[in-house]
Amino acid sequence: MKARVVALPGDGVGPEVVRSALRVLEAVAERSGHRLELTEALIGGAALDRVGAPLPDDTLAACRDADAVLLGAVGGPQWDDPSARLRPEQGLLGLRKELGLYANLRPVSLWPCLAQVSPLKAELLQGVDVLVVRELTGGLYFGPRTLERTPEGERATDLLVYTEPEIERVLRLGFELAQRRRHKLCSIDKANVLETSRLWRRTAQRLASEYPDVQLEHQLVDSAAMRLVTAPASLDVLVTENMFGDILSDEASVLAGSLGLLPSASLGAGRLGLYEPIHGSAPTLAGQDLANPLGTILSGALLLRHSLGWEAEARGIELAVGRCLSQGARTRDLGGTLGTSAMTDAVLAAL
Ligand code: NAD
Ligand code: IPM
Ligand code: MN
């Protein structure tokens, strides 16, 4: 089979971790007799610098035409001027919106050999296997915003908007994913304060009768943040709005041991998906062969599984990552000394 993948290296450590994931994907494709047609395109700060737009038209067109997109990260201090009209992050947000990728899956699986790397007590981590389902194209990130001068000074707004259909489609995916796992869905909101959360909660309640085999519970986001680090094994699938999901998934990465380990899949109605590590451009590590490539390599596995349907190959990558970790391969964030490319070599050797 032939598949077209667009790689968007982006900024900071993005190009390094994408290179690692592509090496692994190419090795897997070669071994399995599949063909991967890889093209590279600009996004984020790199695109701003080269062509003056964070999401150039030809990048978007190439992504629309592809079977899947693999992204590194966008952003960095050189583009952080708060009064700039264009920012790297707009490239990523625009891509998610334009491709209709409303659901962001962020699995947090524990590699048992890394239990000591997490700052949490090892006994808390026993049996942890959490899947965060983050709504990705609505909420505060995409509502109308304003910035105006008033007699009292400047005034800024970001409006948190959700429609019922937007909430329903991501909740349905949460229920369906729970059906394929441990049948528990925790819907996270702030229904004691926010109208959007009360709509979210009512919608979850309404759908629950269609999924009688799933145990639905609601939890407020503040106490959910605490539960994630005090009783993480009690959680199966979490489903939540865009910004809560952004924050909770970085918190959840502490369970695994490092932000650099977590992959993600952003999915919509069709097969086309966007795959990226959950971490950012890690500017202080950039260009020094210091970043952990595993989050991006594992995003490559999700790409094979969800967009190409190459389940055996996806599993192969995940097993190889598990094997090299259990043999002691560690980047610095995991307390080791391996660089980005040496860690990638270790994965390739374990494949
Ligand atoms: P970050 O995720 O880049 O870094 C947070 C911390 O985790 C840092 O200490 C960093 O060194 C470490 N880290 C991140 N990735 C790592 C890896 N692969 N290996 C080892 N350590 C790693 O978050 P930040 O510092 O808040 O943001 C930096 C920039 O990245 C900002 O411009 C932000 O907008 C952008 N960002 C982009 C994305 C994305 O492209 N999806 C996600 C988050 C942040
Ligand atoms: C992420 C990032 C992005 C987000 C930023 C860079 C726009 O933090 O992918 O988690 O908030 O979605
Ligand atoms: Mn984030």
Side-chain angles (χ1 to χ4, degrees), residues 26-296:
E26 281 177 320
V28 165
E30 195 175 316
R31 244 155 268 196
S32 60
H34 293 309
R35 229 184 83 216
L36 275 184
E37 208 177 274
L38 291 167
T39 50
E40 212 171 275
L42 291 169
I43 195 164
L48 266 177
D49 290 352
R50 291 273 296 279
V51 298
L55 178 60
D57 290 342
D58 49 358
T59 296
L60 180 58
C63 293
R64 281 193 206 285
D65 243 16
D67 296 302
V69 181
L70 180 75
L71 182 136
V74 297
Q78 61 269 56
W79 303 285
D80 266 347
D81 173 5
S83 57
R85 197 177 53 84
L86 294 172
R87 290 191 58 102
E89 290 81 356
Q90 291 162 348
L92 177 55
L93 298 176
L95 186 63
R96 291 170 177 169
K97 189 72 169 180
E98 288 292 332
L99 299 181
L101 306 172
Y102 63 83
N104 182 218
L105 274 43
R106 297 185 159 188
V108 187
S109 5
L110 245 70
W111 306 97
C113 60
L114 292 184
Q116 297 306 320
V117 175
S118 170
L120 298 180
K121 295 194 184 80
E123 64 260 29
L124 270 183
L125 298 172
Q126 288 263 335
V128 168
D129 182 8
V130 178
L131 173 62
V132 179
V133 181
R134 169 190 178 193
E135 200 291 327
L136 203 60
T137 51
L140 270 178
Y141 281 67
F142 293 96
R145 58 193 73 245
T146 63
L147 176 61
E148 55 193 330
R149 230 171 256 293
T150 74
E152 291 79 43
E154 285 189 304
R155 177 175 184 272
T157 66
D158 298 279
L159 199 59
L160 171 42
V161 187
Y162 269 111
T163 65
E164 195 178 357
E166 282 176 317
I167 296 172
E168 178 167 336
R169 62 185 180 181
V170 71
L171 279 170
R172 282 197 185 279
L173 184 64
F175 277 109
E176 284 160 19
L177 291 164
Q179 283 179 323
R180 285 181 249 153
R181 294 169 46 100
R182 302 199 310 282
H183 301 265
K184 292 199 290 184
L185 181 64
C186 184
S187 173
I188 296 171
D189 62 37
K190 188 77 185 174
N192 52 344
V193 177
L194 302 176
E195 204 55 52
T196 43
S197 281
R198 288 191 280 271
L199 177 60
W200 186 284
R201 198 174 274 217
R202 278 204 308 280
T203 308
Q205 209 74 58
R206 173 169 63 75
L207 296 177
S209 61
E210 295 182 41
Y211 305 89
D213 55 333
V214 176
Q215 184 195 331
L216 169 69
E217 70 177 316
H218 306 279
Q219 184 151 9
L220 297 172
V221 61
D222 43 0
S223 69
M226 187 208 58
R227 179 175 173 192
L228 204 46
V229 286
T230 52
S234 69
L235 294 161
D236 179 14
V237 180
L238 308 183
V239 61
T240 191
E241 65 107 74
N242 202 341
M243 183 168 271
F244 295 162
D246 179 42
I247 298 168
L248 290 178
S249 53
D250 270 33
E251 187 194 2
S253 75
V254 176
L255 304 168
S258 168
L259 188 58
L261 288 169
L262 260 60
S264 87
S266 302
L267 308 174
R271 283 219 123 183
L272 173 61
L274 167 66
Y275 301 84
E276 48 170 325
I278 82 159
H279 65 74
S281 59
T284 60
L285 308 181
Q288 300 165 72
D289 195 42
L290 289 176
N292 186 339
L294 295 182
T296 316

